[in-house]
Amino acid sequence: MNAALKLGDVREAIKPVVFERDLQIISNVQVNGEYRQMVLKAPREMLEQCRAGQFFHLLCPQLGGENPYLRRPMSIYGFYPDKGELHFLYKVTGEGTRALAHLGAGDTLNVLGPLGRGFTIADNWQHLVLVARGVGLATLAPLALEANRLGRKLTAICSARSDDVLMSVHYFRSLGANVVTVTDAEGTSSIENLEAIIEGLIAEEGVDAFYTCGSNRILRLLQRIGEKHEIPGEIALEQQMACGLGMCHCCVRPFRKEDRVVNLRVCREGPVFDMQEAMPW
Amino acid sequence: MNAALKLGDVREAIKPVVFERDLQIISNVQVNGEYRQMVLKAPREMLEQCRAGQFFHLLCPQLGGENPYLRRPMSIYGFYPDKGELHFLYKVTGEGTRALAHLGAGDTLNVLGPLGRGFTIADNWQHLVLVARGVGLATLAPLALEANRLGRKLTAICSARSDDVLMSVHYFRSLGANVVTVTDAEGTSSIENLEAIIEGLIAEEGVDAFYTCGSNRILRLLQRIGEKHEIPGEIALEQQMACGLGMCHCCVRPFRKEDRVVNLRVCREGPVFDMQEAMPW
Amino acid sequence: MVDLTVDVGSLRLKNPIMPASGTFSEDLADVFDLDLLGAHVTKTITRGWRDGNPTPRVCEVSGSMLNSIGIPSKGVGYFIERVIPFYKRYETPLVVSISGNTADEFATLCSEVSVDGVAAIEVNISCPNIEEDGKAFAIRPSSTFDVMTKLRKATHLPLWAKLTPNTGETPEVARAAEDAGADALVVANTILAMAIDINTRRPKLGNLMGGLSGPSLKPIALRMAYQCARATKIPVIGCGGISSVEDVLEFLIAGATAVQVGTATFIHPLAMPRIIDELAAWLARHGYSSVKDVIGSVIDDEQKAGVVFMEAAP
Amino acid sequence: MVDLTVDVGSLRLKNPIMPASGTFSEDLADVFDLDLLGAHVTKTITRGWRDGNPTPRVCEVSGSMLNSIGIPSKGVGYFIERVIPFYKRYETPLVVSISGNTADEFATLCSEVSVDGVAAIEVNISCPNIEEDGKAFAIRPSSTFDVMTKLRKATHLPLWAKLTPNTGETPEVARAAEDAGADALVVANTILAMAIDINTRRPKLGNLMGGLSGPSLKPIALRMAYQCARATKIPVIGCGGISSVEDVLEFLIAGATAVQVGTATFIHPLAMPRIIDELAAWLARHGYSSVKDVIGSVIDDEQKAGVVFMEAAP
Ligand SMILES: Cc1cc2nc3c(=O)[nH]c(=O)nc-3n(C[C@H](O)[C@H](O)[C@H](O)COP(=O)(O)OP(=O)(O)OC[C@H]3O[C@@H](n4cnc5c(N)ncnc54)[C@H](O)[C@@H]3O)c2cc1C
Ligand SMILES: Cc1cc2nc3c(=O)[nH]c(=O)nc-3n(C[C@H](O)[C@H](O)[C@H](O)COP(=O)(O)OP(=O)(O)OC[C@H]3O[C@@H](n4cnc5c(N)ncnc54)[C@H](O)[C@@H]3O)c2cc1C
Ligand SMILES: Cc1cc2nc3c(=O)[nH]c(=O)nc-3n(C[C@H](O)[C@H](O)[C@H](O)COP(=O)(O)O)c2cc1C
Ligand SMILES: Cc1cc2nc3c(=O)[nH]c(=O)nc-3n(C[C@H](O)[C@H](O)[C@H](O)COP(=O)(O)O)c2cc1C
Ligand code: FES
Ligand code: FES
């Protein structure tokens, strides 16, 4: 599936590999002031297609006076073929996510996916460093699971406003990741401090790849460090979506490709892109 | 209020007399295969404005996949200022009434009313005869209550497909009305039989006024008998409605007025009209 | 206290909220005090008696409605004798909506209703007109200019031209109305639409087709209001699918000076007074002292001006 | 077994359900077998490379959406080399949608895509055109006739003209397309609309305005499909807001021979195959042996024919 969705190979994929399904909700609870976690019961065939970095397109219900029309994209926060579970971590920001928050155990949610191209972990990448802020952690979490499965070393640098919104620290630690937390409250989340931490990691342990998502400032920093030390990286990006499948071309972002700027679809060529090709916005 | 709503007097009514309110549902239950009864908790000021034959305009909820947009008119089936209750009797026919059926005790329903012009019971009318079929009984029921209150004699001729859908027989009897039931199943609901029953009533007891609603065949019959014996009558009519208040002119029906045919608004000049002026459709 | 007054040309309104023609009448006084409104706009009348269209006259479509009321009218005599006096008891200015089958009849009616108690005349140039093969005057700039010129000569009262969305030339029509002397533009009337009952295979409206109003119309009417505000210098009164204070703000930001609320009143008869309250509250909360400060405040980068006059999508 | 086949001119389709241009691509093959569809209709292409419009390119409005994708295009070379071969593996006929800034460029592209593997050409004459002050060809009968005449000369393949709702002259435009040799009419494209974010005061689309599609458009598109079926003798392909079998039936009853499903596929990617199943089931349940029996079966009393050509409401 992942292969079939890679840029350029699209045309070979004519066997249905994306599922539209009504899934039953196991739980949907507040995990802290801003985020909610939803756990769905999902069929094995669907979960086995999932890759870290991919997303689902959720048909948010018409509930509580909310009338979302388009689907809403949500990263896979966790997928467990053995348990038959699919997890999302989301922030309530508008009509669609407010409607999602109204769902409870036993309700159904229509999902479409898995969609898009996930993260790459090359065979010779031993030490992976991820830098994430806010809900970006939802997108990067399954990468930690995958790194753990492949027996790679992972350092997760988690940035947040203050300690109590630091997401998933416990989760990353439970997978044996080295977790570094920086917060605005403590004044440790500045780009300078981040740079010092990362340069320290490179000097002391060596770093094979960077992963991030969301923040413009972090992207610039990692592009600079990556270029300097020739360390590859990937970034997961967001853009408003209609179809989620690559048909409508609404979700494009500009990328640097061989001296040209090209528009690529976040839902199809992404949401994970080469970090050096990404353009700060 | 009733006076204010009478044809021609409309322009004097500038004090708000129609209420838009969220009312709490006390119960909403199936009363037989086709009909449901809804009981709402309503304020006394609203209930004291109500008259038999008037209606409310209900804002059916977006529930159960139904998305009704316009309000739905529903006759007052019962109003009890002392108990603080407002009753509707409705048949589930389409999107709006299906949505209504989804409501349960404790939910709220937004209602607008009371609306329209109700039934007249002139001071010297002693024996009232109502002829009703199907859900038309919902509209005529409060007339029986009013007749009882005023100490008039009432005969209710209830027509239905078969015995088990005979609505409100018990209710009419409990108010001391004389109830005659005719059904298709027994072959007693023919126009000929109805005519015989009514002519019998006129001959034996004398009849001062007829009331009916809904059926074209019954209207023609009563017009004929009424003309022959010079017995006045009133009919409650239905028409698709948007505003329910008299503003949009969508709910008109044609009436014979002094040798002309004029369009009158069912929501404003009606829903109760002079029986001889009504035109079969 | 936030200042809600707006000026539609020479006419000052106490707030920018008024009803849309055909969705309002004396009857609404049963529900709330009509003096709360910025203006009163009557149902369109014609000179003579008209029955209106066959029933059913309305039907529901996804989240909106169609109507083919037609213009039932008791004629100008009844209107002057019975309707205008009703509104005289209110402070709120009365705007009379009129229409005609021919430009001359239209102009005659325009002068006939230019009487005491009338503050402005809204000319419904979006209804079918026999001189233009049944097309509305406001479909073409030329017929708009011609009829508006005659109407302008017929009255000294402020003249509001009500435009139709059934055209591919909104900015041109708006400019034609302005050039012929319109004092304001009401944007817009309903758009021609249809619905069929698949079980009976009959059109859901007795008149076959009717006008779409309600939330579905809003993005189209908003686009037109924006185009008209950019294309002309006269005030624009937004209309189409407005049902919340957010909708009102969208039109004001796009450049409308005031708005009309139509179908929303059918669903929530108290929509207008509620919106007036909420508008004052919203402005206060966002630190505005006057509603005038939000009018036309849309941030549309100037390079995009070219797009404004396109009548095509995508 | 119900017969679902329909004939769009000389082209027989196995069923009347096909995607709308711009809401379909090879990518949908990830979700279901595209051979289920009656036809494949590609996103509009232009001759040369185009970037498309600035983002955001879509936004939500009440129960529907706006888009201003523009027409990003990799050009005709890429299309012939990479896209057409993809569709050759299917039995379902391929309909190629094209557009051009000028009538001549449009015609050149039309002949360039008249190649093996293409069953029909859908000409998107509803997008802005620089020879007509940025108006779409299909806004006016005259520009429709002119461009269609050139396109007709450029190909021997069936030519489907895609009309715009941004006009007050639908029947006249439809007849102009027919007179110039169109084999079918696709009715219709999106209608120009706008939305503003009241918090940022910026238009919700990067391009300021965009096209309204989805359920809100349906009553407008249905009215146009009916008008076109009455005004011409060529097949009409209904399009606009179709999301259920009931919607399909409404268009077929109104006179459409086939339909296109657009935005609904974004909400329910399986909408088209589901509708095909439900259509067969509905017809069987109602005792029809062929879908052709419902086409044009609307009961519209003849005396109302006059109304059909009005472009105004109420
Ligand atoms: C690939 C991808 C993965 C994502 N993963 C997550 C996740 O795991 N957890 C999480 O909380 N959020 C995630 N987001 C963002 C999430 O999609 C938006 O927060 C959500 O769509 C907001 O919808 P709304 O109706 O609540 O907000 P509204 O602001 O009412 O949405 C209005 C419209 O804008 C779109 N929109 C708003 N914000 C975004 C955004 N950031 N990205 C894309 N579209 C947006 C909505 O989809 C909708 O169409 C992801 C976005 C993308 C593109
Ligand atoms: C004054 C009045 C009093 C009524 N009282 C009762 C009552 O007490 N009990 C009861 O069961 N029904 C009553 N009706 C009929 C009731 O209004 C309709 O059954 C109801 O509107 C159907 O709505 P729906 O969405 O379920 O059906 P749909 O068929 O989906 O409705 C579609 C549209 O048609 C309108 N409509 C459909 N049938 C009727 C009708 N018969 N009259 C008016 N509009 C209609 C609806 O309001 C809606 O706008 C009354 C009608 C009127 C006019
Ligand atoms: C039932 C009804 C009757 C209408 N009658 C008229 C009319 O007589 N004259 C007129 O100019 N507009 C008339 N309109 C159009 C409205 O004034 C308004 O332009 C349109 O409904 C769009 O606004 P809305 O979406 O807020 O309803 C009517 C609309 C409706 C729904
Ligand atoms: C995202 C998007 C892109 C579109 N692109 C095109 C296009 O390239 N060419 C075209 O003719 N129509 C295009 N359309 C219009 C559709 O083909 C269709 O006419 C319209 O959306 C109405 O149908 P619907 O309501 O079923 O979506 C596009 C529509 C959408 C929503
Ligand atoms: S969301 Fe449609 S192409 Fe990406
Ligand atoms: S429903 Fe509007 S006038 Fe009767």
Side-chain angles (χ1 to χ4, degrees):
Chain A
M1 159 74 173
N2 206 9
L5 282 173
K6 258 203 225 117
L7 185 56
D9 297 348
V10 173
R11 241 136 252 109
E12 299 313 312
I14 60 161
K15 192 167 64 69
V17 286
V18 172
F19 304 86
E20 189 205 311
R21 288 281 190 287
D22 281 327
L23 301 186
Q24 219 195 330
I25 294 173
I26 297 172
S27 65
N28 182 24
V29 295
Q30 193 93 20
V31 292
N32 72 15
E34 292 188 25
Y35 301 93
R36 295 181 72 95
Q37 183 172 352
M38 184 184 282
V39 178
L40 297 157
K41 177 120 214 66
R44 176 177 278 273
E45 47 166 8
M46 179 192 262
L47 295 168
E48 280 178 345
Q49 299 279 359
C50 294
R51 295 291 173 272
Q54 289 190 303
F55 69 99
F56 276 78
H57 215 21
L58 310 184
L59 191 62
C60 303
Q62 308 218 328
L63 272 186
E66 311 293 343
N67 290 301
Y69 177 67
L70 296 171
R71 286 175 181 262
R72 302 299 197 254
M74 220 47 88
S75 297
I76 299 171
Y77 180 54
F79 59 100
Y80 305 95
D82 293 338
K83 283 199 282 181
E85 285 184 10
L86 178 62
H87 295 201
F88 298 106
L89 183 75
Y90 64 99
K91 188 169 166 179
V92 175
T93 52
E95 201 160 19
T97 46
R98 274 199 303 271
L100 277 188
H102 274 95
L103 291 168
D107 290 340
T108 51
L109 176 68
N110 184 283
V111 310
L112 174 74
L115 296 169
R117 198 180 73 89
F119 292 106
T120 317
I121 303 184
D123 289 346
N124 58 342
W125 292 352
Q126 287 305 325
H127 184 200
L128 317 178
V129 172
L130 65 84
V131 186
R133 194 173 158 92
V135 84
L137 290 163
T139 308
L140 295 164
L143 183 68
L145 195 72
E146 187 66 6
N148 182 276
R149 209 181 54 78
L150 297 172
R152 313 294 167 86
K153 183 163 136 191
L154 179 84
T155 301
I157 305 175
C158 302
S159 169
R161 254 184 288 142
S162 64
D163 249 353
D164 63 289
V165 285
L166 277 173
M167 299 295 310
S168 314
V169 171
H170 173 74
Y171 175 80
F172 283 131
R173 290 228 167 93
S174 73
L175 294 172
N178 172 28
V179 180
V180 181
T181 64
V182 296
T183 64
D184 303 354
E186 298 171 329
T188 49
S189 64
S190 70
I191 284 295
E192 295 68 35
N193 194 41
L194 264 183
E195 178 156 14
I197 292 170
I198 295 166
E199 288 286 3
L201 285 172
I202 294 171
E204 286 157 35
E205 323 179 22
V207 170
D208 295 312
F210 290 117
Y211 302 90
T212 191
C213 63
S215 159
N216 218 343
R217 292 184 325 148
I218 295 173
L219 169 61
R220 282 180 204 274
L221 173 68
L222 293 179
Q223 282 183 331
R224 190 151 44 77
I225 299 180
E227 204 166 18
K228 184 165 129 197
H229 297 283
E230 290 188 18
I231 300 170
E234 291 189 317
I235 180 166
L237 292 170
E238 295 186 358
Q239 181 61 284
Q240 208 127 325
M241 293 187 181
C243 72
L245 284 162
M247 303 188 289
C248 74
H249 290 260
C250 79
C251 64
V252 297
R253 299 188 77 108
F255 293 86
R256 262 185 240 102
K257 285 258 180 203
E258 299 147 18
D259 290 341
R260 286 201 310 153
V261 170
V262 296
N263 277 331
L264 298 178
R265 295 164 297 182
V266 171
C267 75
R268 190 81 191 181
E269 286 88 39
V272 176
F273 294 92
D274 181 279
M275 196 181 288
Q276 295 299 345
E277 291 178 359
M279 293 172 68
W281 51 95
Chain B
M1 158 73 175
N2 206 9
L5 283 171
K6 257 201 225 119
L7 186 56
D9 298 347
V10 173
R11 239 137 253 108
E12 298 313 311
I14 61 163
K15 193 167 63 72
V17 286
V18 173
F19 304 85
E20 189 205 311
R21 288 281 189 286
D22 281 327
L23 300 186
Q24 219 194 329
I25 294 171
I26 297 173
S27 66
N28 181 24
V29 296
Q30 193 92 21
V31 291
N32 70 16
E34 293 186 26
Y35 300 94
R36 296 181 71 94
Q37 183 171 353
M38 184 184 282
V39 177
L40 296 155
K41 177 120 216 65
R44 176 177 278 272
E45 46 166 10
M46 179 191 260
L47 296 168
E48 280 177 346
Q49 299 280 359
C50 295
R51 293 294 173 270
Q54 287 190 303
F55 70 99
F56 276 77
H57 216 20
L58 310 183
L59 190 62
C60 303
Q62 309 217 328
L63 272 185
E66 311 293 343
N67 291 301
Y69 177 67
L70 297 170
R71 286 175 181 261
R72 303 300 199 253
M74 219 47 89
S75 297
I76 300 172
Y77 178 54
F79 58 101
Y80 304 95
D82 293 338
K83 285 199 281 180
E85 285 182 10
L86 179 62
H87 295 201
F88 298 106
L89 182 75
Y90 63 100
K91 188 169 166 179
V92 175
T93 52
E95 202 160 19
T97 46
R98 275 198 303 271
L100 277 187
H102 274 96
L103 291 168
D107 290 341
T108 50
L109 177 67
N110 184 284
V111 310
L112 174 73
L115 296 168
R117 199 180 73 86
F119 292 104
T120 316
I121 304 183
D123 289 345
N124 57 342
W125 293 351
Q126 287 306 325
H127 184 200
L128 316 178
V129 172
L130 65 82
V131 187
R133 194 174 158 93
V135 85
L137 290 163
T139 307
L140 296 164
L143 182 68
L145 195 72
E146 187 67 4
N148 183 274
R149 209 181 53 79
L150 296 172
R152 313 293 168 87
K153 183 164 136 189
L154 181 84
T155 301
I157 304 175
C158 302
S159 169
R161 255 185 289 143
S162 64
D163 249 354
D164 63 289
V165 287
L166 276 174
M167 300 294 311
S168 314
V169 172
H170 173 73
Y171 174 80
F172 284 131
R173 289 226 168 96
S174 75
L175 294 171
N178 170 29
V179 179
V180 182
T181 64
V182 296
T183 64
D184 303 354
E186 299 169 329
T188 50
S189 63
S190 70
I191 284 295
E192 294 68 33
N193 194 41
L194 265 183
E195 178 157 12
I197 293 169
I198 295 166
E199 288 284 4
L201 285 172
I202 295 170
E204 287 158 36
E205 322 180 22
V207 171
D208 296 311
F210 291 118
Y211 301 89
T212 191
C213 63
S215 158
N216 217 342
R217 293 184 325 149
I218 296 175
L219 169 61
R220 281 183 204 274
L221 173 69
L222 294 180
Q223 282 182 332
R224 190 150 46 79
I225 300 181
E227 204 165 17
K228 186 165 130 198
H229 299 282
E230 289 189 20
I231 301 170
E234 290 189 318
I235 182 167
L237 292 170
E238 297 187 358
Q239 181 60 284
Q240 209 127 322
M241 292 186 182
C243 73
L245 284 162
M247 302 187 291
C248 73
H249 291 259
C250 79
C251 64
V252 296
R253 299 188 77 109
F255 293 87
R256 262 185 239 102
K257 284 259 179 201
E258 299 146 19
D259 289 341
R260 286 202 309 154
V261 170
V262 296
N263 278 331
L264 297 178
R265 296 164 297 182
V266 170
C267 76
R268 192 80 191 179
E269 285 89 39
V272 175
F273 294 92
D274 180 278
M275 195 181 286
Q276 295 299 345
E277 289 178 0
M279 293 172 70
W281 51 97
Chain C
M1 268 299 291
V2 177
D3 177 12
L4 289 184
T5 62
V6 294
D7 296 317
V8 177
S10 58
L11 192 64
R12 169 150 305 182
L13 309 181
K14 69 183 115 182
N15 66 61
I17 312 296
M18 66 184 92
S21 175
T23 66
F24 174 75
S25 71
E26 304 89 292
D27 305 295
L28 197 57
D30 280 357
V31 187
F32 67 87
D33 179 358
L34 302 186
D35 244 341
L36 295 169
L37 301 174
H40 295 154
V41 183
T42 61
K43 167 84 182 164
T44 302
I45 59 158
T46 51
R47 284 199 77 198
W49 173 281
R50 278 166 66 124
D51 265 338
N53 287 332
T55 55
R57 289 180 172 185
V58 294
C59 75
E60 218 174 270
V61 292
S62 170
S64 289
M65 67 175 282
L66 308 187
N67 88 80
S68 62
I69 308 293
I71 308 203
S73 173
K74 296 196 173 131
V76 62
Y78 178 92
F79 186 79
I80 289 175
E81 244 170 72
R82 304 290 300 271
V83 181
I84 295 177
F86 173 89
Y87 288 103
K88 277 195 179 158
R89 71 190 75 188
Y90 296 104
E91 262 184 15
T92 296
L94 178 65
V95 180
V96 171
S97 171
I98 61 169
S99 182
N101 279 321
T102 66
D104 288 327
E105 184 193 296
F106 208 157
T108 306
L109 177 56
C110 188
S111 80
E112 284 168 342
V113 296
S114 298
V115 296
D116 180 47
V118 176
I121 297 174
E122 181 175 295
V123 289
N124 179 0
I125 55 172
S126 7
C127 52
N129 144 38
I130 47 178
E131 284 161 354
E132 301 275 339
D133 311 319
K135 304 265 180 209
F137 295 105
I139 285 181
R140 300 189 181 116
S142 57
S143 44
T144 301
F145 184 83
D146 293 347
V147 72
M148 289 304 297
T149 302
K150 288 192 173 168
L151 291 164
R152 179 68 289 167
K153 286 194 190 123
T155 188
H156 290 287
L157 287 173
L159 206 53
W160 299 0
K162 181 149 179 193
L163 305 190
T164 177
N166 298 302
T167 178
E169 312 183 84
T170 296
E172 293 86 348
V173 167
R175 275 193 298 259
E178 179 183 36
D179 291 347
D183 295 291
L185 302 172
V186 181
V187 182
N189 215 310
T190 54
I191 189 162
L192 195 65
M194 187 173 181
I196 294 174
D197 183 322
I198 61 168
N199 294 311
T200 64
R201 284 179 291 136
R202 290 190 179 275
K204 288 192 179 174
L205 294 177
N207 194 44
L208 211 55
M209 301 181 190
L212 174 68
S213 66
S216 293
L217 183 60
K218 199 192 71 176
I220 302 168
L222 182 76
R223 175 263 297 177
M224 290 181 65
Y226 175 78
Q227 289 179 309
C228 291
R230 293 290 297 257
T232 71
K233 293 193 163 48
I234 52 180
V236 168
I237 298 162
C239 177
I242 294 173
S243 58
S244 67
V245 68
E246 289 80 13
D247 295 340
V248 169
L249 285 160
E250 222 178 329
F251 276 89
L252 296 180
I253 292 169
T257 298
V259 298
Q260 296 186 344
V261 176
T263 307
T265 296
F266 297 170
I267 315 300
H268 295 287
L270 293 169
M272 286 186 286
R274 198 195 60 223
I275 286 174
I276 294 166
D277 281 353
E278 291 176 356
L279 181 61
W282 191 95
L283 292 167
R285 206 162 59 244
H286 288 78
Y288 291 98
S289 58
S290 163
V291 67
K292 295 186 197 78
D293 298 338
V294 302
I295 294 171
S297 63
V298 59
I299 303 174
D300 49 350
D301 309 348
E302 283 307 319
Q303 75 272 25
K304 286 173 189 154
V307 184
V308 176
F309 299 102
M310 288 174 5
E311 282 284 348
Chain D
M1 267 298 291
V2 177
D3 176 12
L4 288 185
T5 62
V6 294
D7 296 316
V8 178
S10 57
L11 193 64
R12 168 148 305 182
L13 309 182
K14 70 183 112 181
N15 66 62
I17 311 297
M18 67 184 93
S21 176
T23 66
F24 175 74
S25 72
E26 303 90 293
D27 305 295
L28 197 58
D30 281 358
V31 187
F32 67 86
D33 179 359
L34 302 186
D35 244 342
L36 294 169
L37 301 175
H40 296 152
V41 183
T42 62
K43 167 84 181 163
T44 301
I45 59 158
T46 51
R47 283 200 76 198
W49 174 280
R50 278 166 66 124
D51 265 337
N53 287 334
T55 56
R57 290 180 172 186
V58 294
C59 75
E60 218 171 90
V61 291
S62 170
S64 290
M65 66 174 283
L66 307 187
N67 89 80
S68 63
I69 307 292
I71 307 203
S73 172
K74 296 197 172 130
V76 62
Y78 177 93
F79 186 80
I80 289 174
E81 244 170 73
R82 303 290 301 272
V83 180
I84 294 178
F86 173 89
Y87 287 104
K88 280 196 177 157
R89 70 190 75 185
Y90 296 104
E91 263 183 15
T92 296
L94 178 65
V95 180
V96 172
S97 170
I98 61 170
S99 182
N101 278 321
T102 66
D104 289 328
E105 186 194 294
F106 208 158
T108 306
L109 177 56
C110 188
S111 79
E112 284 168 344
V113 296
S114 299
V115 297
D116 180 47
V118 176
I121 298 175
E122 180 175 296
V123 289
N124 179 0
I125 56 173
S126 7
C127 53
N129 143 39
I130 45 179
E131 286 163 353
E132 301 275 339
D133 311 320
K135 304 265 180 208
F137 294 105
I139 286 181
R140 300 187 182 117
S142 57
S143 44
T144 301
F145 184 84
D146 294 349
V147 72
M148 288 305 297
T149 302
K150 287 191 173 167
L151 291 164
R152 178 68 289 169
K153 286 192 190 124
T155 188
H156 291 286
L157 286 173
L159 207 53
W160 298 1
K162 181 147 178 196
L163 305 190
T164 177
N166 297 302
T167 178
E169 310 184 86
T170 296
E172 293 85 349
V173 167
R175 276 194 297 259
E178 178 183 37
D179 291 346
D183 296 290
L185 302 172
V186 181
V187 184
N189 215 310
T190 54
I191 188 160
L192 195 66
M194 187 172 181
I196 294 174
D197 182 322
I198 62 168
N199 295 311
T200 64
R201 283 177 293 135
R202 290 189 179 277
K204 288 194 178 174
L205 294 176
N207 194 46
L208 210 54
M209 300 183 193
L212 174 69
S213 66
S216 293
L217 183 59
K218 199 191 73 176
I220 302 168
L222 182 76
R223 175 264 297 176
M224 291 180 65
Y226 175 78
Q227 288 179 310
C228 290
R230 292 290 297 258
T232 71
K233 293 192 165 47
I234 52 179
V236 168
I237 298 162
C239 178
I242 294 173
S243 58
S244 67
V245 68
E246 288 81 13
D247 294 340
V248 170
L249 285 160
E250 222 178 331
F251 276 89
L252 297 180
I253 292 169
T257 298
V259 297
Q260 297 185 343
V261 176
T263 307
T265 296
F266 297 170
I267 314 300
H268 294 288
L270 293 171
M272 287 186 285
R274 196 195 64 222
I275 287 174
I276 294 167
D277 281 354
E278 290 175 357
L279 181 60
W282 191 95
L283 292 167
R285 205 162 60 244
H286 287 77
Y288 290 99
S289 59
S290 163
V291 68
K292 294 184 198 79
D293 298 340
V294 301
I295 294 173
S297 64
V298 60
I299 304 174
D300 49 350
D301 309 348
E302 283 309 318
Q303 75 272 25
K304 287 175 189 153
V307 184
V308 176
F309 299 101
M310 287 173 6
E311 282 283 347

